[in-house]
Amino acid sequence: MIEKIDRFYLEISSIEQLKEKKKPLENLKIELIKPENFELNKFFYKQIGKNYQWIDRLVWSNLTWHKYTSNKNLSTYILKENEDLVGYFELIHNKETNDCEIAYFGILEEFFSKGFGGYLLSEAIKIGLKLKVQRVWVHTCSLDHPNAILNYKSRGMQVFKTEVLERRAI
């Protein structure tokens, strides 16, 4: 059986377009992971992605994860509530195209429905735009959480491309 997947590419090009979601709790903090720690990226990828068929990286070795997270153009940020891990995002700054991709973004399931996703996305966009890029962009698809595309649009991101992918149903 063939499954159709809708993929959406969204972008935002200025801080003026951002419809910021303020911090819902004072005890939230966002931290840049320095030095890189591939185990955190791997943890979030597996835990968040398990419900949305994030499968591409499941076959990666620790060496591949280390090489990926050591890329000088990649930055990983985590969201914590006190000392509890809540979510993360990866930004890839492409100097050749002068843009910033939100490569991966998500909140752990136990923190859903608290307003953390809108806040975390607002911060990801602000950090990306501080790189003096022409745009911050992301892609999502119909396999993602139903609120994903709503969150992106609610923060002021606009769809600039759509496509339909086909794959054998899992």
Side-chain angles (χ1 to χ4, degrees):
M1 176 179 207
I2 300 296
E3 177 181 24
K4 293 189 183 288
I5 301 164
D6 296 314
R7 184 182 287 169
F8 306 92
Y9 296 81
L10 299 98
E11 66 185 352
I12 190 167
S13 56
S14 74
I15 198 71
E16 292 77 28
Q17 295 172 323
L18 175 62
K19 297 172 186 162
E20 185 176 359
K21 173 87 173 181
K22 297 293 185 187
K23 187 189 291 191
L25 296 173
E26 274 308 306
N27 60 345
L28 292 177
K29 61 185 171 191
I30 295 176
E31 298 175 356
L32 173 63
I33 301 305
K34 279 289 183 195
E36 296 78 17
N37 180 346
F38 76 87
E39 292 288 355
L40 274 171
N41 294 68
K42 186 176 175 180
F43 165 79
F44 280 117
Y45 180 87
K46 286 181 172 183
Q47 292 305 307
I48 294 168
K50 68 184 174 188
N51 295 324
Y52 309 108
Q53 298 182 39
W54 293 5
I55 56 174
D56 299 7
R57 297 180 180 181
L58 295 178
V59 297
W60 282 14
S61 67
N62 284 347
L63 179 60
T64 303
W65 275 103
H66 176 72
K67 285 181 182 177
Y68 174 76
T69 58
S70 297
N71 178 337
K72 64 180 174 60
N73 296 321
L74 175 77
S75 300
T76 301
Y77 293 83
I78 59 170
L79 176 64
K80 288 182 173 181
E81 180 182 16
N82 297 317
E83 291 306 310
D84 293 332
L85 295 173
V86 173
Y88 88 127
F89 60 90
E90 297 176 358
L91 296 180
I92 299 175
H93 182 195
N94 187 331
K95 294 175 184 169
E96 292 176 13
T97 56
N98 195 29
D99 64 21
C100 181
E101 177 186 3
I102 301 172
Y104 279 89
F105 173 90
I107 300 288
L108 296 170
E109 197 169 5
E110 57 266 33
F111 295 99
F112 284 3
S113 302
K114 295 183 176 189
F116 294 174
Y119 166 67
L120 186 60
L121 181 58
S122 294
E123 295 302 305
I125 291 169
K126 289 192 307 190
I127 292 167
L129 289 171
K130 283 181 184 174
L131 297 170
K132 307 274 192 253
V133 294
Q134 289 181 1
R135 68 180 182 153
V136 173
W137 69 279
V138 67
H139 74 271
T140 188
C141 73
S142 52
L143 298 175
D144 247 341
H145 189 284
N147 289 342
I149 195 162
L150 298 174
N151 190 19
Y152 298 130
K153 288 180 174 181
S154 293
R155 303 290 72 78
M157 299 186 92
Q158 301 290 318
V159 174
F160 69 90
K161 178 181 169 183
T162 61
E163 59 189 4
V164 177
L165 308 172
E166 292 183 354
R167 70 167 187 179
R168 292 195 187 277
I170 296 177

